[in-house]
Amino acid sequence: SAKKAMRQTIKRTALNSTKKTILTKAIKKFTQAKENRDSAKIYSLIDKAVKGKIIHKNKAGRIKSRLAKLLS
């Protein structure tokens, strides 16, 4: 029913927004860190966000590229 669909949408929106916030904070923390940057961990987070349809795969590639540029 439409009511159930609305309930599901509200729950999913809340979950997705929290996941997106976690991702953006992790990326910001990674970029601000001067040393001990764990690239594998951040790449994993980005890939999981793509798998969960939180961000688009092209955006993920763009973010990874920019982070890799920081490392070099």
Side-chain angles (χ1 to χ4, degrees):
S1 70
K3 289 181 183 177
K4 183 179 177 183
M6 280 295 296
R7 288 196 306 268
Q8 288 175 330
T9 303
I10 291 167
K11 281 183 185 176
R12 288 179 188 150
T13 304
L15 270 174
N16 288 344
S17 66
T18 54
K19 287 179 185 175
K20 200 167 194 175
T21 305
I22 290 167
L23 179 68
T24 51
K25 284 183 180 177
I27 292 169
K28 195 172 278 188
K29 191 175 183 181
F30 182 85
T31 54
Q32 289 174 349
K34 298 293 179 195
E35 51 195 39
N36 299 334
R37 290 179 170 166
D38 190 9
S39 60
K41 192 174 182 183
I42 196 80
Y43 286 177
S44 171
L45 263 176
I46 294 168
D47 290 335
K48 284 178 186 173
V50 171
K51 192 175 180 185
K53 298 180 180 170
I54 307 296
I55 58 172
H56 195 272
K57 65 178 183 176
N58 291 355
K59 180 171 182 172
R62 194 167 60 245
I63 292 169
K64 284 183 188 179
S65 171
R66 288 176 182 163
L67 294 179
K69 202 185 288 186
L70 274 177
L71 290 172
S72 61

